Amino acid sequence: MAANPDASPAAPSDSTNHGVRVVVAWLVLSAIATPLVAIYVGPLIPPGNGSVQAQGQTFSNQVMTSLVTPVLCLMAVFFAYGLLKFHARRNEAVLDGPPIRNDSRVQLLWIVITSAMVLFLAGFGTYELLKDGAGGGQGPNPIALPAGHKSAYPVQVIGQQWQFTYRYPKLGGMESNQLVLPENTLIAFHVTSLDAVHSFWAVELGVKADANPGVDNVAYVNTKGPMVFHVRCAELCGLWHGYMFNNGAVVPPTRFRNWSLHAVALYSSIKPFVNRPPEKGGAPFAYSYFPQPTGRAG
Ligand SMILES: [Cu+2]
């Protein structure tokens, strides 16, 4: 321990090694708390296992929560020890421990440990983010492409105040207010908006992508088994933002076909009333749509 030039020679000093006590208490608490957090809190961490991307995000959240547990334990132990040991008792002077200012070992440990943690988490997070094609929306030219992205099933998501419409390019540009997806399929969401900035958040699928007017924001997701998931707008977009939600479903192939037939028939029956020309080619992203309540788009 380096000498502190500012310390008064007359100041009473406590010979107890508080540092060792704190470290031992921290190690014991961390050894108990970290596995408990991983085992009992880990499975509860969102967004769950609804899709490959959601599973990846849940795993990342579990790793980060487990890693942060010892950090939290250190703060709790430091705080509790300080409160218990260094509070003033009646008729008793509070003794300070030996000063650790200018202690090069503490400084070195602090820099090495925090740098290693931050660098590891940055590398780990980046790797995990890019591995499955993100699911967070990567603009019109995604850099993190999942395997088989060229044959991904496209669905265009159109946000508007205050609902989402889903356009299916492979079903002749059919538009629906229901989001139904086939199971075990790679989906390419092309997210956009008609008016304000929205955010398409398919919660249990682990997809959250900004919806900007005139922008094709692409997010990938690999669906798994049949499930119902929630869709919410995650960007404050006006008065009824809080009501901008609906449910989506991942279904087996036969149910997806049946739903497609009904949805296309329904859309064809209303299309003449909205003066929309028949769509050719089925481009994954279209700049004109059926929902055009304000005339600002479409
Ligand atoms: Cu919105």
Side-chain angles (χ1 to χ4, degrees):
M1 206 69 64
N4 181 0
D6 299 334
S8 158
S13 179
D14 182 353
S15 61
T16 315
N17 197 333
H18 299 289
V20 171
R21 282 183 174 190
V22 166
V23 168
V24 169
W26 167 55
L27 288 176
V28 171
L29 185 65
S30 298
I32 296 168
T34 307
L36 288 179
V37 165
I39 293 166
Y40 291 106
V41 181
L44 308 175
I45 294 177
N49 296 323
S51 72
V52 171
Q53 284 72 8
Q55 200 170 0
Q57 291 161 27
T58 298
F59 174 67
S60 304
N61 288 341
Q62 286 169 340
V63 168
M64 284 190 270
T65 307
S66 302
L67 271 178
V68 91
T69 305
V71 179
L72 195 71
C73 288
L74 179 61
M75 290 193 288
V77 166
F78 196 81
F79 187 60
Y81 191 87
L83 272 182
L84 293 171
K85 193 68 197 164
F86 299 114
H87 70 276
R89 292 177 182 82
R90 198 168 298 191
N91 303 325
E92 199 179 295
V94 179
L95 297 182
D96 201 359
I100 56 170
R101 201 178 345 160
N102 298 334
D103 189 315
S104 56
R105 288 171 308 172
V106 172
Q107 289 171 346
L108 192 69
L109 265 181
W110 183 257
I111 291 168
V112 168
I113 291 174
T114 52
S115 302
M117 275 188 78
V118 168
L119 289 174
F120 168 74
L121 285 176
F124 171 78
T126 308
Y127 170 76
E128 288 289 322
L129 193 68
L130 299 179
K131 193 177 58 159
D132 301 319
Q138 309 162 50
N141 302 303
I143 48 165
L145 294 163
H149 64 93
K150 284 196 175 137
S151 54
Y153 189 85
V155 175
Q156 186 168 352
V157 178
I158 307 154
Q160 72 183 99
Q161 289 168 323
W162 287 275
Q163 68 173 60
F164 287 109
T165 302
Y166 308 100
R167 175 181 163 274
Y168 287 76
K170 297 223 165 166
L171 301 175
M174 179 272 285
E175 291 170 26
S176 172
N177 60 356
Q178 300 175 325
L179 178 55
V180 179
L181 303 170
E183 67 178 7
N184 298 319
T185 305
L186 176 62
I187 309 289
F189 286 118
H190 294 260
V191 183
T192 191
S193 166
L194 292 188
D195 37 45
V197 176
H198 302 271
S199 179
F200 170 65
W201 184 21
V203 183
E204 292 84 355
L205 291 185
V207 173
K208 191 193 258 180
D210 281 348
N212 295 297
V215 175
D216 177 14
N217 192 17
V218 184
Y220 293 101
V221 70
N222 291 77
T223 59
K224 292 167 88 175
M227 68 182 293
V228 171
F229 57 88
H230 298 98
V231 175
R232 294 185 172 280
C233 179
E235 187 77 54
L236 186 59
C237 60
L239 190 59
W240 302 112
H241 161 72
Y243 291 90
M244 195 166 161
F245 63 86
N246 64 353
N247 289 343
V250 176
V251 297
T254 44
R255 284 195 63 186
F256 183 72
R257 259 196 307 281
N258 288 341
W259 172 81
S260 304
L261 291 172
H262 283 105
V264 168
L266 182 66
Y267 183 64
S268 305
S269 71
I270 60 165
K271 207 157 56 166
F273 298 105
V274 297
N275 260 342
R276 187 147 186 271
E279 193 171 304
K280 298 186 199 87
F285 184 82
Y287 284 92
S288 67
Y289 327 100
F290 167 37
Q292 41 181 312
T294 60
R296 278 178 283 171

